[in-house]
Amino acid sequence: MSPLSWDGCAPATGRTETVREIGTDVPGLALRVTAIGASELVAAVSGGDRLLLIEAGAERPDDAGPARIRVEWRLPCTGATALWTPATGTRWLPPSWNTPRTASLPSGAPVGSLIATGDAALCTFAVAESLLPVTIGEGAVEESGEFVWWVEHELTAGGEPLRLRLDLTQRHFSETLADAVAWWAGLGAAATVPDSAFLPVFCTWYALHLDMTAADVERLAALAAPLGFAALIVDDGWQTDEVSRSYATAGDWQPAPGGFPDFGAHVKRVQSLGLAYLLWHSLPFAGDRSRAAELLDGQILAHLPELETSVLDPGSAPVRAHLVERLAAAVEAYGVDGLKIDFIDTFARYAKDQSAVAVGVHRLLGELDARLRAVRPDLLVEHRQGYVGPGLWPYATMVRATDCPHNAVENRVRCTDLRLTAGPLAVHADPLTWHPTESPEQIAVLLQSVLFATPQVSVDLARQSPEQLAALRFWLSVAREHTDLLQRGGFRPHRPELGYPLLEARRGSELAFGRYAPVPIQVAGDWGLLLVANADPDPVVRLHFAKEPGRLAIVVQDCAGTAVATADSAGDERELALNVPQGGLLTVRRAR
């Protein structure tokens, strides 16, 4: 791609470009549509009240390749504080000449939001395309003080136009993103997610890494079940007796003969504890010492010598058949309850033809899903950030934050970002892990940081003190008792430019906050139950009620759930300051 211009325009293509300026009633909005490689442009704008739907297509393409459509728009960059994208990262306002991003089925999602003071969305956009690549440019224009966006997409053979949704209503950014997700769902992106996808999970990765046996896994499973975990993910290591950090043996997906001699019996023993059993697979890899590398020689996208593996080509029918057969064996032969499918974004990272790889991944996931759902309609399937777009919804039940061990803030931010556009999927935290001498209070803070997601944990449970286990047990019980409120309620994160120091969820008459900085909490609307998890060292939790709340029953619990204070309040004051220890929980109930 040629260099971007300083004013934020997309680079020239050298092909025929047919351009149309589109007038709107939105003050300050400039909108332009370009057909690339076509002599005729078809464009329409519908909607109103600062909510626009642009449909753009092309006719009479030239002979230089498929026609493409580009939509560009710009606004005054006034009051902007953050640029939100689903990949997570710094919330800076990039310059207009920053490298564009590409969203497709195996990588990212075509959505974003420019956020202003007070969490208002200056502009939230979403593109209807859920499979093929969409190129997205976005950034501040130095010369004009505007913020510019452009999205570009190759027209499909069927002539489907590019469909772009612009929300300029300046509502809370989470509301505009929720509406974009609902728009995607209305276009056909559906998924069936069982309740079990939202329950706490124990993962073996940080606890054991590759050095594991069936006995090791069963020992941890026996300790995890009484604490409140509902599922176990057996991660990398079950398929190899090697313990080095390479993928040289990946691709065969057979239980390691030394560590897992009778895999089916092992799975049944774990399930007898009341835990669902999920099994990790790295979908793209065929290791240098695997039988798969020999069988699929020549059907690869790239070789990665530093990882001792090749990246398979999902567009190859033999590759898809091999992967479907091997992953299906885990369910059909060994009776596992679900799969953790990893590294799908690697397909896109090494693709020379992004469109072909996206189509190949779509076929692979569709063929795998059809095979597995025939055996297990309630199968659990975990995908991971950054393959998070609506095209993956039908093939997953949960989506997990990218690896961020020992990092409470990053885990919180990533889970929050996922919640905003995950649609029906359960959002899972990256497995929480900590040093064996970590304090119970800090363990509670780790769990509070992912309070609005499904908690995953990965530590050696046998090395935990009774106090550490008490904190873990208590916060898992909170997660399970209030799953609907915390994970399925209306979700409102605050101040993305500051790393979400306050998170809020509401469902019916129940209201919950996660407090990660010494900020006041505004309590509005009708409510009967109020929960506040205090993860900040400052113990003074300040509640500001929109109206006099009436009589209140107040309970403060420490990190292990022990009540350290109880009180009643007449509720005739609109401000209340309460001491809640770090890692503790404040519960307030209104008298009926």
Side-chain angles (χ1 to χ4, degrees):
M1 178 176 284
S2 58
L4 298 177
S5 63
W6 286 93
D7 66 359
C9 294
T13 63
R15 301 177 65 190
T16 302
E17 295 196 6
T18 306
V19 182
R20 180 183 299 175
E21 304 287 340
I22 305 292
T24 73
D25 295 329
V26 180
L29 175 66
L31 181 63
R32 180 169 67 184
V33 181
T34 302
I36 301 165
S39 58
E40 290 189 11
L41 169 65
V42 180
V45 179
S46 58
D49 296 326
R50 305 178 71 92
L51 184 62
L52 304 178
L53 179 65
I54 297 99
E55 293 196 5
E59 296 180 355
R60 298 175 61 187
D62 58 30
D63 297 328
R68 299 180 66 84
I69 286 292
R70 181 194 305 139
V71 181
E72 301 168 77
W73 69 103
R74 60 180 65 207
L75 286 166
C77 189
T78 54
T81 59
L83 177 67
W84 184 93
T85 67
T88 302
T90 62
R91 298 306 185 196
W92 72 316
L93 305 184
S96 58
W97 41 266
N98 198 47
T99 304
R101 59 187 170 102
T102 299
S104 66
L105 177 74
S107 179
V111 63
S113 184
L114 181 64
I115 303 169
T117 303
D119 294 342
L122 291 172
C123 177
T124 294
F125 79 90
V127 180
E129 178 60 48
S130 61
L131 171 58
L132 297 174
V134 176
T135 305
I136 302 166
E138 51 208 341
V141 182
E142 299 172 13
E143 291 83 354
S144 67
E146 296 173 299
F147 200 90
V148 64
W149 297 259
W150 54 272
V151 296
E152 187 175 308
H153 173 52
E154 184 177 297
L155 292 179
T156 61
E160 285 292 318
L162 183 149
R163 285 179 287 180
L164 170 69
R165 187 181 192 272
L166 295 183
D167 189 326
L168 302 133
T169 59
Q170 299 195 11
R171 295 172 294 151
H172 194 280
F173 79 97
S174 65
E175 294 179 26
T176 63
L177 287 169
D179 285 352
V181 168
W183 180 62
W184 278 338
L187 297 173
T192 300
V193 179
D195 292 343
S196 57
F198 296 86
L199 297 178
V201 174
F202 186 86
C203 177
T204 63
W205 178 240
Y206 297 130
L208 297 174
H209 289 99
L210 284 85
D211 190 8
M212 69 164 80
T213 66
D216 295 326
V217 173
E218 290 168 28
R219 172 180 58 84
L220 287 173
L223 295 170
L227 292 171
F229 292 100
L232 173 78
I233 292 178
V234 175
D235 213 292
D236 191 358
W238 67 273
Q239 81 293 348
T240 180
D241 287 321
E242 298 184 8
V243 296
S244 64
R245 289 284 194 96
S246 84
Y247 295 98
T249 60
D252 295 339
W253 306 121
Q254 303 274 8
F260 295 86
D262 189 344
F263 200 76
H266 156 69
V267 170
K268 287 184 173 62
R269 286 193 292 270
V270 171
Q271 291 169 331
S272 70
L273 299 170
L275 297 173
Y277 194 112
L278 283 77
L279 197 57
W280 174 87
H281 291 76
S282 173
L283 211 56
F285 294 158
D288 292 353
R289 295 193 295 278
S290 70
R291 176 64 176 154
E294 299 177 20
L295 293 173
L296 303 171
D297 183 37
Q299 300 172 77
I300 65 172
L301 298 175
H303 181 249
L304 311 180
E306 69 280 9
L307 297 179
E308 299 183 273
T309 191
S310 294
V311 178
L312 295 169
D313 180 2
S316 162
V319 166
R320 296 197 303 274
H322 170 79
L323 291 174
V324 169
E325 192 64 35
R326 293 317 313 144
L327 270 68
V331 179
E332 297 169 355
Y334 303 122
V336 305
D337 303 290
L339 301 174
K340 173 180 177 176
I341 297 179
D342 215 349
F343 292 111
I344 283 179
D345 48 347
T346 303
F347 287 124
R349 190 173 301 121
Y350 294 98
K352 293 182 176 64
D353 186 334
Q354 294 286 340
S355 293
V357 163
V359 170
V361 171
H362 187 242
R363 289 175 177 168
L364 171 59
L365 295 177
E367 292 166 10
L368 178 64
D369 186 76
R371 172 80 173 263
L372 296 178
R373 300 287 181 189
V375 178
R376 287 292 303 269
D378 61 344
L379 189 76
L380 297 170
V381 178
E382 181 193 278
H383 288 306
R384 176 176 52 79
Q385 193 186 35
Y387 35 105
V388 295
L392 280 167
W393 293 354
Y395 311 117
T397 57
M398 53 264 231
V399 58
R400 178 180 62 82
T402 296
D403 297 18
C404 49
H406 298 277
N407 198 322
V409 175
E410 187 73 6
N411 221 339
R412 177 177 80 243
V413 171
R414 289 188 175 279
C415 289
T416 299
D417 290 341
L418 287 173
R419 278 291 306 270
L420 291 168
T421 56
L425 305 184
V427 170
H428 282 226
D430 185 55
L432 302 173
T433 188
W434 53 83
H435 190 270
T437 62
E438 185 61 275
S439 70
E441 291 79 10
Q442 288 301 320
I443 291 171
V445 167
L446 288 168
L447 289 153
Q448 290 172 325
S449 294
V450 299
L451 185 65
F452 299 89
T454 301
Q456 287 196 20
V457 174
S458 186
V459 293
D460 187 346
L461 295 172
R463 299 180 67 186
Q464 306 303 302
S465 70
E467 293 77 16
Q468 291 172 316
L469 292 175
L472 177 57
R473 184 182 297 107
F474 172 61
W475 281 102
L476 291 182
S477 73
V478 173
R480 294 191 66 143
E481 181 181 356
H482 300 287
T483 297
D484 285 346
L485 167 61
L486 299 173
Q487 298 190 57
R488 288 170 157 168
F491 184 54
R492 175 170 289 213
H494 298 270
R495 304 298 299 273
E497 76 278 16
L498 299 178
Y500 303 122
L502 187 69
L503 299 177
E504 176 183 356
R506 182 185 296 271
R507 188 176 179 92
S509 63
E510 299 179 338
L511 187 59
F513 290 92
R515 178 182 182 265
Y516 309 101
V519 295
I521 296 173
Q522 307 295 329
V523 183
D526 293 327
W527 58 275
L529 172 67
L530 170 65
L531 304 177
V532 179
N534 180 39
D536 191 76
D538 173 24
V540 182
V541 174
R542 293 172 173 83
L543 305 177
H544 295 261
F545 299 100
K547 59 184 179 181
E548 292 183 3
R551 294 190 60 185
L552 303 175
I554 300 167
V555 177
V556 177
Q557 293 167 281
D558 65 12
C559 66
T562 301
V564 295
T566 60
D568 293 322
S569 169
D572 53 0
E573 297 182 359
R574 291 174 58 179
E575 294 188 6
L576 201 60
L578 299 161
N579 283 324
V580 182
Q582 186 179 28
L585 176 67
L586 168 65
T587 302
V588 183
R589 298 182 186 274
R590 296 177 71 176
R592 294 184 178 180

